[in-house]
Amino acid sequence: RPMSGLKPNRKGIRDQYDCRIFFLDRDRQCVYERINRRVDQMVKTGLVSEVKQLMKKKLSQTAAMALGVREMISYIKGEISLQEAKELLKKNTRNYAKRQLSWFRHERDVQIIPVAASDTPKMIACTILGRFMTVTSLSPSTSDPSLIHHAPWH
């Protein structure tokens, strides 16, 4: 029987628990800008030296393929410049993010939470909690949206 035939019958955590998946949906350009800043920060704070240390160890095939490792190894070996390695890492990370976006958009029962560039983590957490409380079947005292104001991050 093909693997696709097994998927509808598989048991998982969703069958055992009341799970919710929230997808934080940012503007694509915003995501790309955040990726670019993050890569620059990682390089600035020691990504190259971290990868040099990793190269001294025997990396698994999976670890050797991790974002940042391949690109920095190419730089360390002199195959490309640091600027080329950074741009390649940014491009590869953007491509990875696009694949994640596609996966989440096609996953069942995912609740999409639009996130603006100006939204703070606190605002996002309150939105998720509010969304969770409106769809859950908890008792009235537990599902009271005013509890959001008593959450530890509020």
Side-chain angles (χ1 to χ4, degrees):
R1 198 159 90 156
M3 196 66 150
S4 59
L6 297 174
K7 190 173 180 180
N9 299 322
R10 72 179 182 195
K11 298 283 184 208
I13 195 167
R14 291 181 190 178
D15 293 331
Q16 298 174 19
Y17 300 98
D18 182 16
C19 297
R20 304 292 156 77
I21 299 172
F22 297 97
F23 171 65
L24 304 181
D25 192 16
R26 291 187 185 271
D27 172 70
R28 186 174 292 200
Q29 190 58 42
C30 179
V31 170
Y32 290 174
E33 289 168 9
R34 289 168 62 98
I35 288 169
N36 291 342
R37 284 194 310 269
R38 180 68 179 134
V39 168
D40 289 338
Q41 183 66 28
M42 288 167 51
V43 171
K44 190 178 192 178
T45 58
L47 179 60
V48 175
S49 59
E50 187 176 338
V51 171
K52 282 180 181 176
Q53 292 298 318
L54 288 174
M55 289 173 68
K56 295 176 183 175
K57 302 177 181 192
K58 175 139 177 68
L59 294 178
S60 69
Q61 187 174 0
T62 303
M65 297 299 289
L67 285 169
V69 174
R70 279 181 301 172
E71 297 86 357
M72 292 304 125
I73 287 175
S74 292
Y75 162 66
I76 293 165
K77 289 182 174 180
E79 298 168 353
I80 59 176
S81 71
L82 181 57
Q83 187 60 37
E84 290 170 320
K86 284 171 49 174
E87 293 307 316
L88 185 57
L89 176 53
K90 290 174 184 180
K91 179 179 86 61
N92 290 342
T93 305
R94 288 190 302 265
N95 289 342
Y96 185 72
K98 277 182 10 185
R99 287 193 303 275
Q100 286 181 320
L101 293 172
S102 292
W103 185 85
F104 273 107
R105 287 195 175 110
H106 292 98
E107 187 68 6
R108 70 179 169 104
D109 300 327
V110 171
Q111 295 184 45
I112 297 174
I113 306 286
V115 177
S118 60
D119 288 350
T120 64
K122 179 178 171 181
M123 292 166 65
I124 297 166
C126 286
T127 300
I128 292 170
L129 187 55
R131 184 84 64 92
F132 182 79
M133 295 299 203
T134 59
V135 295
T136 192
S137 59
L138 298 174
S139 68
S141 62
T142 312
S143 62
D144 181 358
S146 68
L147 290 177
I148 292 171
H149 298 290
H150 302 292
W153 58 81
H154 201 279

